[in-house]
Structures are given as structure tokens and as C-alpha cells.
Amino acid sequence: DLDDEAFARRNLLTLDVENFEELYDAAVEKVQSASTAERSEAARFMREIIAKDERFWQPHLMLALAVRESEGDTAALQHLTTAAKLRPNDAEIRKLLAAILRKQGRAKEAVEHLRVAVGLQPREIEPVVLLAQAMRDANLFEECRRVCEAALKMVPDNSDRSEEHTSELQSPC
């Protein structure tokens, strides 16, 4: 789910927007739409909300997701960075930031966000695999090997995905 219960505290928003909850929920659905026009409409709404009160991370995240295709990764990165500053302990935001940074050839910056994500999700394999891949891209091979070796010890032998995780962790470095 792109939104969470934190934004259920919408009554904290001191916005003068009639039917805010319905409009916001509709905009979130439009962010997830395949339609460029709907995503553009959602982006306009999120920009209006941010202009009224920029203290909440959710509209920044939604705006980043809405504009990534139409305005590009750089625009999305700007909004994701703001969302991460407002909600620094959100692993999903960190992983999204890292994906864009890696795509832009900024692997060392991606590593820093993925370190945070691994710290926030220490029992999850996915952020560790992403961290190892970013370390490889940043030419941090020795550290990548150490991360992979430690992560391989985390993968349970009886896991349905143990084979997949093992190959992912053996190949990055």
C-alpha cells in the first residue's frame, strides 16, 4: 500500500480543502494508474497540498511516484529526498531513492540509503541484496563480499526462496 495509517492523522493538516480525504484517496489511486493524464492530475493535486503545508511526507512520496515517468527521475528524486527528510526511518522510501540513484550512476549515494534500509529491516533479505548490488556498482567489492557472506548466513535452508536468495547474494560481488 502506497499510503499508511500515519496519514490517517489527516485532521492534523490545517488545510482548507473541501472533501480532502476523498480527493486525497482519489489522487493516490490516480498515482497508481497506467494513465499519464490521471498521474498528471494526481501530481497537480499533490503540488497543491504541498503548497498549503509541506510538513507531511506522504504528498511528497505520492508526487514523486506521479511524476517519475512524465518529468523524469531527477524530479522524482527531489520529491523522494524531501519525503526521506520528513520520514527518515522509512525503508521503502530509501529503497526507491537508491533505485533512482543507481539508475543515474550514483551508486555510492545509493549505498548510504540502502545501509539505512538494511538497518530498518535487519531480518529482510531484499534490502541486503540491493545493498550488495549498489556496493558492487560503487566498486566497494570487499565490503560487498562481507555483506553477502553475512547475509548468506541469514537465509534459512528451509525457505521457499532460499535458492533464489543464495544466488542473488553469491552473484553481486
Side-chain angles (χ1 to χ4, degrees):
D1 192 14
L2 291 174
D3 210 356
D4 70 2
E5 68 281 350
F7 209 48
R9 297 184 298 238
R10 293 177 188 161
N11 60 341
L12 294 176
L13 279 171
T14 56
L15 301 177
D16 185 23
V17 177
E18 192 173 324
N19 300 323
F20 173 75
E21 288 192 33
E22 294 85 16
L23 292 171
Y24 183 83
D25 290 341
V28 169
E29 285 183 30
K30 289 176 183 177
V31 166
Q32 300 173 39
S33 169
S35 164
T36 303
E38 285 192 359
R39 284 194 308 273
S40 292
E41 190 177 322
R44 270 191 303 282
F45 177 77
M46 293 301 166
R47 283 189 172 100
E48 288 174 18
I49 297 305
I50 291 168
K52 291 177 183 286
D53 192 336
E54 61 186 25
R55 297 175 296 158
F56 296 91
W57 63 272
Q58 296 89 342
H60 291 283
L61 173 61
M62 292 297 114
L63 181 54
L65 296 172
V67 302
R68 188 168 180 193
E69 281 186 36
S70 62
E71 297 176 26
D73 286 338
T74 302
L77 192 61
Q78 177 185 357
H79 301 297
L80 282 173
T81 300
T82 301
K85 286 178 184 171
L86 294 169
R87 189 173 168 96
N89 293 330
D90 188 302
E92 296 307 314
I93 293 172
R94 298 294 186 144
K95 290 187 284 188
L96 285 169
L97 271 166
I100 293 173
L101 290 166
R102 281 185 66 207
K103 184 177 172 188
Q104 292 182 336
R106 298 164 60 186
K108 285 187 180 180
E109 291 174 71
V111 166
E112 297 313 312
H113 287 287
L114 290 166
R115 286 183 203 273
V116 173
V118 168
L120 293 168
Q121 298 177 320
R123 292 182 173 28
E124 297 290 325
I125 298 296
E126 180 203 16
V128 176
V129 170
L130 295 173
L131 175 61
Q133 291 168 342
M135 287 176 162
R136 178 201 58 212
D137 294 350
N139 297 323
L140 301 171
F141 300 115
E142 192 55 42
E143 192 172 359
C144 177
R145 270 190 277 289
R146 287 194 303 269
V147 166
C148 290
E149 288 168 3
L152 282 168
K153 294 175 186 171
M154 292 173 43
V155 179
D157 291 333
N158 59 353
S159 167
D160 290 341
R161 297 186 63 197
S162 65
E163 206 172 295
E164 176 185 341
H165 291 314
T166 301
S167 67
E168 288 173 335
L169 290 166
Q170 289 173 337
S171 64
C173 309

